[in-house]
Amino acid sequence: MRCVPPRPACLAPLLLLAFWAGGTRGACLASTPPQAVPRSHDLVLDGRLAEPGWRDALLLPAGTLEVPAPPGSPTATQRLAPEVRVLEAGGALWVGVEVPEDPGTGIGLRVMAASGSILRAAEAVAVGYAPCELRAPRWSVRSPRGATRAYIPVEGAVDTARRGAWSLELRLPLAALDLPREDAPLALALAVATRVSNLVASVPADLGGGAPAAWPRLVPAAGAWSQPAGAEPAQALAEADAADDERMAAWRRFLATTQAPAGPGGMLAAPESAWVTPLLGALDEVQALRADLAPWLAWVRGDLLWRFGQQEAARACWREALAAVPGHREAAYGLEVLARGMALAAAPPTDGGACERAYERALAAAAAPAPAGPWQAYARDGQDLGAGLLLFKQGAFAAALERLAPLAQRYPAEALVVLHAERAREAGEAELAERSRRRAEEARADLPRLVLETTRGPLTLELFEDDAPQAVRHLVWLATQGGLDGLPVASATPVLGVEAGRDPGYLLAREASRRPPLRGTVSLLVGEDGSVGGRLFVATGTAWHLQGRLLVAGRLVAGEEVAGCLAAGDTIRAARAERLRPGTTYRPTTLAGEPAPAPAR
């Protein structure tokens, strides 16, 4: 079970490993002149970079990246240029980052800083800040002093309350760098992690292959670095990190539960208490320890609830995530693509037994223009998904593939979309072969037929005796012996099919019919043990996803509109067989190998 879709990801591990390890190439000191870092007095650690001091901060040029464009963009990719600013205040170096992209769980910052005379990266203080990451600790610290924030009391804050941009601030105490004097230059390098896995922008731009000699050298614009105003909150930071360690343990319990072996029928067939309750409980533990992760956990809850069929609860979670993080693409995708598409594809039942086609009404709704709004591009994809699923259900495979194939390319991690695109392609190929067979059968005109008189009108079935002879004999036997007279319609699912039947008093062995379950086919339902009884299924849409559960025995040649109007409570008033082949005994052999008895009435 994939409870967390692999869309955003953690900080790029390979590049950052090189970033931490560093090297000694070009061990001489940098030849570029040092850059002056302005001092500020009005900074508030809130991640917003809104104070006037940030306008006058030192701007460090960062590398640009080619990233996937946001939904609705005319191009597939865009150039992303993070803005990195540096200030000093209160005995600390402040790094501010502004990135023009929607936020994701993978966003963050890695910083390496040390005295300007550094020769090897291993001598630097290395700090990693991943404020929204679910699968890794919020902070990672490494330095000659130690590997916790008790030694390097760094702090940070992030702002994700805007769409199309996010920003963060990181405050690193200068005392942690062990500068030899109060005006000594320091060396700084950093990497900004985007919402896309393994895509980072660095300062300097070639950080992945550079050595400390290439790092920018910074000096205080005021002539000396400022002094701290008070003691660092080391105890509070240690407690916060301990809570984050507990949060990671709860997250691992959540992951372990998602990967636990499922019982018969899989996870989704298990009782809700066996899966949903423990999973949600683990997420509640995570949120209690890290309340700032609530928007991202709401997205995970929504994904989880959606997969367990609790669609309205999932929508509420995604709406909660978007309210807190307006640029939360994953939550918007859930609401506008998945939920919208599935709602449109769930054709309503006919109104009061009227024979208006539910399919036509639903397809018209799916074809309507997408509603305007900040996520209109996703809404358009949701409309296309709904239309594609409806067309697939109705057996219009070529038209369904036109809608679904582009979505499968845009969302390759979404199994629902990719699976239905593949099914539409496979079913379309099968339909071409089926048409060829039917043309040959129509030319021979020798297949048996059944006429079923229903409370809505007559149905004429042509039976595939050459492909499923026992099933055909069974249906003819039931018709000629009165086993279908008065048969009630048990269920009718719009844009899928109608089921009717009763236990005839015997079972048949399943046959290997070559015929696919396309729209208009007539099948016998196969039991879990592989046997076939008296349950008859008429596909008013395609039943491609029911392969393995159906034995296709015939097709509708007349009465398609009647079949589409049948509802639970209707009945087959009478049945008769026509065009039976001379010399054929239409009495099936039961699963026990004996001639079938007269059907039970």
Side-chain angles (χ1 to χ4, degrees), residues 150-375:
Y151 299 96
I152 311 296
V154 61
E155 297 179 274
V158 66
D159 176 28
T160 59
R162 294 168 290 165
R163 186 170 178 226
W166 60 270
S167 59
L168 64 75
E169 294 172 314
L170 185 142
R171 179 184 178 277
L172 176 63
L174 289 163
L177 306 183
D178 293 325
L179 300 178
R181 60 183 190 276
E182 63 181 12
D183 63 345
L186 62 86
L188 179 71
L190 57 86
V192 179
T194 69
R195 75 184 323 276
V196 182
S197 175
N198 294 326
L199 286 183
V200 300
S202 60
V203 176
D206 61 347
L207 175 62
W215 298 1
R217 261 51 181 183
L218 308 181
V219 294
W225 300 110
S226 60
Q227 298 300 312
E232 300 292 348
Q235 181 62 33
L237 300 184
E239 292 174 357
D241 288 350
D244 199 45
D245 290 341
E246 293 181 42
R247 185 269 306 182
M248 283 299 302
W251 180 256
R252 287 191 290 270
R253 286 194 293 275
F254 169 77
L255 295 180
T257 305
T258 67
Q259 298 164 8
M267 179 184 287
L268 297 183
E272 180 176 313
S273 59
W275 291 104
V276 181
T277 302
L279 287 167
L280 293 179
L283 293 179
D284 288 342
E285 287 185 64
V286 172
Q287 185 163 329
L289 293 161
R290 283 283 306 279
D292 58 302
L293 291 177
W296 313 104
L297 293 170
W299 156 52
V300 177
R301 283 192 189 91
D303 188 75
L304 171 67
L305 293 167
W306 179 266
R307 294 172 200 287
F308 276 92
Q310 299 183 27
Q311 297 183 354
E312 191 51 48
R315 292 187 185 95
C317 288
W318 289 330
R319 284 191 288 267
E320 176 188 340
L322 274 173
V325 182
H328 201 315
R329 291 188 195 174
E330 291 74 28
Y333 169 85
L335 274 175
E336 298 295 346
V337 180
L338 279 184
R340 180 182 296 278
M342 293 299 289
L344 290 168
T350 54
D351 298 329
C355 288
E356 178 187 1
R357 296 296 297 272
Y359 160 76
E360 294 172 353
R361 299 199 315 273
L363 187 58
W375 299 102

Side-chain angles (χ1 to χ4, degrees), residues 309-596:
Q310 299 183 27
Q311 297 183 354
E312 191 51 48
R315 292 187 185 95
C317 288
W318 289 330
R319 284 191 288 267
E320 176 188 340
L322 274 173
V325 182
H328 201 315
R329 291 188 195 174
E330 291 74 28
Y333 169 85
L335 274 175
E336 298 295 346
V337 180
L338 279 184
R340 180 182 296 278
M342 293 299 289
L344 290 168
T350 54
D351 298 329
C355 288
E356 178 187 1
R357 296 296 297 272
Y359 160 76
E360 294 172 353
R361 299 199 315 273
L363 187 58
W375 299 102
Q376 188 175 35
Y378 275 168
R380 281 196 297 267
D381 285 348
Q383 301 281 125
D384 282 344
L385 176 59
L389 294 178
L390 283 167
L391 290 164
F392 174 82
K393 288 179 180 181
Q394 193 66 4
F397 301 122
L401 192 59
E402 287 182 8
R403 302 293 187 106
L404 296 174
L407 297 178
Q409 291 181 344
R410 278 200 289 280
Y411 309 113
E414 186 53 63
L416 171 73
V417 177
V418 174
L419 177 63
H420 277 84
E422 287 301 316
R423 283 176 173 174
R425 185 175 290 108
E426 294 170 359
E429 293 171 355
E431 186 179 39
L432 291 176
E434 175 68 10
R435 287 177 183 172
S436 177
R437 285 195 292 266
R438 290 185 182 181
R439 284 194 294 270
E441 290 166 348
E442 289 168 358
R444 294 198 310 269
D446 67 342
L447 289 179
R449 290 187 172 184
L450 291 185
V451 177
L452 307 180
E453 298 290 345
T454 76
T455 49
R456 301 279 181 173
L459 304 175
T460 301
L461 319 181
E462 187 169 82
L463 305 180
F464 300 146
E465 187 169 354
D466 297 328
D467 295 277
Q470 282 296 320
V472 169
R473 290 170 190 169
H474 169 63
L475 289 172
V476 173
W477 178 251
L478 291 177
T480 56
Q481 299 297 312
L484 298 178
D485 296 350
L487 192 68
V489 173
S491 64
T493 304
V495 204
L496 177 58
V498 178
E499 182 184 338
R502 65 165 67 100
D503 180 8
Y506 60 87
L507 295 174
L508 302 178
R510 180 178 180 176
E511 298 172 272
S513 173
R514 300 176 300 158
R515 311 303 280 263
L518 301 172
R519 177 183 175 185
T521 54
V522 178
S523 307
L524 293 171
L525 270 67
V526 179
E528 292 184 2
D529 60 356
S531 63
V532 178
R535 296 172 66 195
L536 184 66
F537 181 82
V538 180
T540 55
T542 182
W544 193 257
H545 62 294
L546 297 178
Q547 290 184 91
R549 297 169 56 190
L550 299 176
L551 170 58
V552 178
R555 68 183 180 100
L556 271 171
V557 292
E560 182 179 354
E561 293 295 326
V562 173
C565 295
L566 288 171
D570 288 327
T571 60
I572 298 173
R573 290 172 172 167
R576 67 179 185 274
E578 298 179 348
R579 214 165 66 175
L580 301 181
R581 289 175 171 175
T584 301
T585 301
Y586 288 94
R587 186 172 187 175
T589 300
T590 68
L591 188 61
E594 300 174 349

Side-chain angles (χ1 to χ4, degrees), residues 26-255:
C28 60
L29 295 181
S31 59
T32 56
Q35 302 178 69
V37 180
R39 179 176 296 175
S40 183
H41 303 279
D42 59 352
L43 301 184
V44 177
L45 193 65
D46 56 10
R48 297 176 185 172
L49 281 70
E51 297 82 14
W54 283 114
R55 293 197 296 267
D56 303 321
L58 172 64
L59 182 63
L60 295 178
T64 60
L65 300 169
E66 191 85 12
V67 300
S73 298
T75 58
T77 61
Q78 68 174 10
R79 298 299 295 175
L80 185 66
E83 187 176 275
V84 178
R85 296 178 180 273
V86 180
L87 287 171
E88 64 111 346
L93 190 71
W94 289 65
V95 179
V97 175
E98 181 93 21
V99 185
E101 66 165 353
D102 289 322
T105 58
I107 63 175
L109 180 66
R110 291 273 181 168
V111 172
M112 294 193 75
S115 168
S117 60
I118 183 175
L119 296 179
R120 298 187 306 114
E123 300 170 13
V125 169
V127 172
Y129 179 42
C132 305
E133 179 59 63
L134 295 171
R135 294 163 290 181
R138 173 171 45 185
W139 288 101
S140 59
V141 174
R142 175 181 170 182
S143 79
R145 290 187 176 195
T148 69
R149 287 202 291 166
Y151 299 96
I152 311 296
V154 61
E155 297 179 274
V158 66
D159 176 28
T160 59
R162 294 168 290 165
R163 186 170 178 226
W166 60 270
S167 59
L168 64 75
E169 294 172 314
L170 185 142
R171 179 184 178 277
L172 176 63
L174 289 163
L177 306 183
D178 293 325
L179 300 178
R181 60 183 190 276
E182 63 181 12
D183 63 345
L186 62 86
L188 179 71
L190 57 86
V192 179
T194 69
R195 75 184 323 276
V196 182
S197 175
N198 294 326
L199 286 183
V200 300
S202 60
V203 176
D206 61 347
L207 175 62
W215 298 1
R217 261 51 181 183
L218 308 181
V219 294
W225 300 110
S226 60
Q227 298 300 312
E232 300 292 348
Q235 181 62 33
L237 300 184
E239 292 174 357
D241 288 350
D244 199 45
D245 290 341
E246 293 181 42
R247 185 269 306 182
M248 283 299 302
W251 180 256
R252 287 191 290 270
R253 286 194 293 275
F254 169 77
L255 295 180

